Amino acid sequence: MQLLKDRIRKDGVIKEGNVLKVDSFLNHQMDIALINEMGREFRRLFPDNSINKILTIEASGIGIACITAQYFNNCPVVFAKKTQSINIDGEVYSTQIKSFTHGRTYDVIVKKAFLSPEDNILIIDDFLANGCALLGLIDIVKSSGAKIAGAGIVIEKGYQQGGELVRSKGVRVESLAIIDEMDPVNGCKFRDDN
Ligand code: 5GP
């Protein structure tokens, strides 16, 4: 998505530790017009009319998912919650996710009542790096018996293993920008740049 790549070039900041900061338009302050275009693009990439729910993970995925849902017949958005104390009363699906940016491992939960075998789920997230977050969400959807229509990712760091890992499991992943190389001096090199 050209608009997004231009914006990453203009406002993205490459930090130590292989982290791209996009907090001026995505992860802290949010550019709604840009995210609206992302929603429109996700719809173009996933025209499947049977998608009836979007799943994401707190916190940064929520805004993107909510705007995207408006292009999917205003379907409900469910966000997986990060928690310290796992609820073991059987009411939730849970999985463990290692955070790329914080290095910590979280228990992540979704209430069972909000996912069912009749659902066809589109997963939305901001970044795909090592794939832990996405694999965790896939794990939760599989536990519920729901179908996975695919995953829509805003920024995929294509030189990390996540994309390959998830695609090798047969899950369709569509990323709006794929970064193949990134360093503070030369900036970002995108997959389809010449
Ligand atoms: P993964 O689980 O695929 O390793 O990482 C995905 C999660 O880590 C995303 O939900 C995102 O919050 C965070 N993340 C990974 N890489 C980056 C990055 O370069 N910049 C930012 N801002 N977040 C990242």
Side-chain angles (χ1 to χ4, degrees):
M1 184 181 165
Q2 196 56 47
L3 197 63
L4 173 63
K5 290 193 283 186
D6 291 345
R7 189 60 178 271
I8 294 170
R9 277 211 184 87
K10 181 169 160 276
D11 290 332
V13 179
I14 300 164
K15 294 287 202 190
E16 289 301 310
N18 185 27
V19 171
L20 174 65
K21 283 215 107 169
V22 285
D23 58 0
S24 65
F25 62 94
L26 191 67
N27 287 143
H28 194 12
Q29 175 170 258
M30 299 174 76
D31 181 331
I32 301 305
L34 176 64
I35 297 169
N36 191 45
E37 291 310 314
M38 293 176 191
R40 194 193 307 277
E41 183 64 4
F42 282 134
R43 178 69 219 203
R44 193 184 67 78
L45 294 165
F46 292 99
D48 181 352
N49 272 325
S50 70
I51 292 170
N52 70 333
K53 204 168 271 187
I54 291 178
L55 176 68
T56 188
I57 180 163
E58 67 179 0
S60 294
I62 298 174
I64 304 160
C66 289
I67 291 180
T68 299
Q70 296 179 87
Y71 288 94
F72 287 82
N73 302 312
N74 289 312
C75 71
V77 171
V78 176
F79 62 93
K81 294 188 172 200
K82 294 171 183 163
T83 168
Q84 302 293 354
S85 56
I86 183 125
N87 166 332
I88 46 162
D89 63 9
E91 280 185 5
V92 296
Y93 297 113
S94 71
T95 191
Q96 287 202 322
I97 293 180
K98 187 169 191 298
S99 160
F100 178 84
T101 36
H102 302 112
R104 267 181 289 161
T105 299
Y106 296 92
D107 286 311
V108 169
I109 57 162
V110 173
K111 205 168 174 180
K112 285 187 176 172
F114 300 142
L115 294 175
S116 83
E118 289 77 52
D119 288 329
N120 189 21
I121 307 283
L122 175 64
I123 300 173
I124 293 285
D125 204 6
D126 58 345
F127 273 89
L128 174 57
N130 290 327
C132 294
L134 189 49
L135 288 168
L137 294 176
I138 290 168
D139 190 37
I140 283 179
V141 177
K142 289 201 165 148
S143 308
S144 76
K147 259 180 70 184
I148 302 176
I153 301 294
V154 178
I155 302 169
E156 176 176 343
K157 293 193 284 182
Y159 54 89
Q160 288 181 254
Q161 63 185 9
E164 207 178 302
L165 218 67
V166 175
R167 290 182 181 100
S168 74
K169 290 181 177 294
V171 175
R172 181 171 164 208
V173 180
E174 297 287 354
S175 301
L176 303 184
I178 302 180
I179 297 172
D180 273 336
E181 285 170 40
M182 165 175 113
D183 71 71
V185 178
N186 300 307
C188 291
K189 186 171 187 319
F190 294 99
R191 177 144 308 174
D192 44 7
D193 275 1
N194 301 313

